[in-house]
Amino acid sequence: MSKRTVQQFTGHAFLKQRLVMALLSQQTVRIDGIRAQDENPGLRDYEVSLLRLLEQATNGTRIVISPTGTSVVLRPGMITGGRIDMDCPVSRSIGYYLEA
């Protein structure tokens, strides 16, 4: 049995790309320090919506968000696709999600 490595990153830069690449490569990813020094630290509403969208489009994906929202761990499952219903926050357009 092989041990899975965890890819670790810091900060919110390229968050969407890191999550999608982790999903496609089946690599667990941990991202810490998400806007930790900001006045409003942690994930934004559109980033949480993206995580939920990735969770719905897959089977077995596990997402853990810290209580402060400054850290997230994504353990990818298998991509299943199909019909997905989501609420798109007004802070980002639908193109943000389609791009992923």
Side-chain angles (χ1 to χ4, degrees):
M1 189 165 145
S2 66
K3 186 176 179 180
R4 289 185 125 182
T5 60
V6 177
Q7 300 294 320
Q8 295 186 334
F9 299 100
T10 303
H12 67 280
F14 305 108
L15 180 71
K16 179 172 56 169
Q17 291 84 351
R18 289 175 176 166
L19 294 172
V20 171
M21 291 305 295
L23 189 65
L24 293 174
S25 65
Q26 293 292 297
Q27 290 287 316
T28 300
V29 66
R30 178 184 180 98
I31 304 171
D32 295 310
I34 301 170
R35 295 185 189 88
Q37 304 302 320
D38 201 19
E39 287 182 23
N40 187 14
L43 294 168
R44 302 291 186 249
D45 62 342
Y46 57 90
E47 293 165 333
V48 173
S49 292
L50 176 64
L51 285 166
R52 298 299 169 223
L53 177 64
L54 294 176
E55 189 175 45
Q56 285 183 22
T58 59
N59 183 19
T61 294
R62 302 280 185 233
I63 298 171
V64 179
I65 302 172
S66 70
T68 59
T70 58
S71 179
V72 65
V73 177
L74 177 113
R75 291 184 180 90
M78 298 301 294
I79 299 172
T80 57
R83 182 184 169 102
I84 298 172
D85 293 320
M86 72 169 278
D87 291 325
C88 181
V90 296
S91 52
R92 285 288 189 262
S93 68
I94 192 70
Y96 175 82
Y97 304 99
L98 293 174
E99 207 175 62

